Amino acid sequence: MKHAKFVSFTEVGAQTAKKAAALLPDFLIERYARTVDPSLAGTQLSRFAQQAMVDCDLIVFVGAAGIAVRAVAPYLAGKAFDPAVVVIDEAGRFVIPILSGHIGGANTLAERLADGLGAQAVITTATDGRAAFAVDTWAVAHGCVVADPQNIKHVSGALLRGEQVGLRSDFPVDGRLPAQVTLDGVPDSGFVIGFDIKAAPFAHTLHLVPRVVHLGIGCRKGTDAQTIEQAAQAALDAAGVPWEAVRGIASIDVKQNEPGLLHFCENYGLPLTVFSAEALQAVQGDFTPSDFVARTVGVDNVCERAAVCAASGGTLLCRKTARDGVTVALAAEKWRACMEEQNREDQTL
């Protein structure tokens, strides 16, 4: 679940924050009413902002925009890292996203809060103002990681200047392409959808990586996180898949409390999904069998079967690789780049 913090500065603002927080049931929310809650007396707003910028997906300031700007400014890390930051005036009349409007989802969240409060969302990003295709918004909405956010400006800038931008995709593309986006020719700027983050078909290339890959992992009891990480890295390198594409880790249920595996998942912020031997054995496909593994855990292969099972029967990208007592396999979910949804959104802006 995503994490949000609300901070207000007046009694009226505290009531507005309470109403706004109730509109986000899908967030784990903390509310800080600085002039209402005696426990916050003497605490520093700068310290609050510093911590929130690290551990939150969303920060909502109910008060003056200037307070919010000064609070978060010292802790900005960049487009790919900053959380969504939204300002609501104390009366709940205006909702203004001031940071991470696209990648962090602040624009969408501001509109959602404004609808619930009966307020006006004030969206200032140029692509939204002109109803232009926002490549970073599309990426987030479709489960892609922007591998090089510093290149967003080239694609967005070209669109705002009325120029065409190129698209190359290693995945099927569905729907009508947004205005000015083309699969033909070689425009100066463009974006690539795929796992190859070194591909450079355009002078200015932005890379969008679908998070659809699952790592199936098996390991000896007591294997440490570093050994597992090294084996995983070797498998990813062999398959030409970047970490940005990894959505989760999968294994057999007897490994669900393996300390090294849990630490590895925690280090990378990835969920661990486990399956019973029976569920793994039932997965359809051509897998690398092992009599030893079958005798030990009751299924002839753990890593390949777990990866495919977690990927909902997807494609096996890398068969079992073994290193220092760790086996790793990669499987990708079935995924398509759907452009039609963005077009529908454009038409309603």
Side-chain angles (χ1 to χ4, degrees):
M1 179 176 285
K2 291 186 176 181
H3 185 196
K5 288 183 178 179
F6 282 65
V7 59
S8 58
F9 306 94
T10 65
E11 291 188 11
V12 173
Q15 291 303 311
T16 298
K18 183 178 180 180
K19 293 176 183 177
L23 300 171
L24 302 176
D26 49 330
F27 280 76
L28 173 64
I29 291 177
E30 300 176 43
R31 286 190 289 119
Y32 298 87
R34 292 183 61 81
T35 57
V36 176
D37 187 346
S39 69
L40 298 176
T43 61
Q44 294 184 332
L45 180 62
S46 61
R47 183 70 183 91
F48 163 86
Q50 182 181 31
Q51 187 63 43
M53 289 290 285
V54 173
D55 63 17
C56 285
D57 301 288
L58 167 66
I59 309 171
V60 179
F61 289 84
V62 182
I67 294 175
V69 171
R70 286 191 293 271
V72 303
Y75 312 112
L76 300 182
K79 279 180 175 288
F81 309 102
D82 295 330
V85 178
V86 172
V87 175
I88 306 175
D89 69 292
E90 68 166 11
R93 295 170 299 178
F94 301 100
V95 185
I96 311 167
I98 64 170
L99 189 64
S100 203
H102 290 159
I103 294 180
N107 288 0
T108 300
L109 288 166
E111 292 175 334
R112 180 176 166 188
L113 290 169
D115 285 344
L117 293 171
Q120 175 66 53
V122 182
I123 310 298
T124 60
T125 44
T127 49
D128 295 274
R130 299 195 200 177
F133 175 68
V135 65
D136 41 356
T137 297
W138 183 91
V140 172
H142 293 81
C144 293
V145 174
V146 181
D148 37 18
Q150 70 276 9
N151 289 337
I152 293 172
K153 62 185 178 183
H154 297 296
V155 173
S156 296
L159 291 169
L160 292 172
R161 291 191 299 271
E163 301 171 5
Q164 286 194 325
V165 299
L167 166 61
R168 300 291 183 271
S169 179
D170 295 331
F171 294 84
V173 176
D174 291 340
R176 179 171 53 87
L177 294 181
Q180 300 170 236
V181 176
T182 179
L183 291 166
D184 301 321
V186 186
D188 187 59
S189 298
F191 60 102
V192 172
I193 303 173
F195 297 149
D196 185 358
I197 58 176
K198 294 183 179 180
F202 312 106
H204 301 292
T205 302
L206 176 70
H207 298 90
L208 309 183
V209 182
R211 291 191 74 216
V212 295
V213 174
H214 296 261
L215 298 184
I217 295 179
C219 62
R220 294 186 188 130
K221 184 177 181 179
T223 303
D224 61 68
Q226 183 177 6
T227 301
I228 294 173
E229 178 183 3
Q230 291 170 346
Q233 185 67 68
L236 288 167
D237 290 344
V241 174
W243 276 106
E244 289 89 342
V246 179
R247 182 172 179 179
I249 308 301
S251 191
I252 192 169
D253 56 6
V254 297
K255 295 297 179 182
Q256 62 186 337
N257 295 315
E258 186 67 39
L261 186 58
L262 293 175
H263 290 158
F264 165 72
C265 293
E266 182 180 1
N267 290 342
Y268 279 86
L270 294 169
L272 173 64
T273 304
V274 296
F275 303 95
S276 67
E278 292 77 15
L280 292 178
Q281 192 63 52
V283 177
Q284 298 297 308
D286 177 23
F287 303 110
T288 307
S290 168
D291 291 337
F292 173 77
V293 173
R295 291 193 303 271
T296 304
V297 296
V299 60
D300 64 359
N301 181 290
V302 169
C303 62
E304 293 177 0
R305 290 181 177 275
V308 172
C309 195
S312 301
T315 303
L316 196 61
L317 300 179
C318 177
R319 288 187 171 275
K320 180 175 75 173
T321 61
R323 174 179 175 143
D324 298 328
V326 181
T327 58
V328 183
L330 280 64
E333 301 171 13
K334 296 180 175 68
W335 188 86
R336 304 176 74 89
C338 179
M339 294 291 172
E340 194 66 31
E341 181 178 343
Q342 177 71 37
N343 282 311
R344 289 196 296 268
E345 290 173 356
D346 289 346
Q347 293 165 8
T348 63
L349 291 175

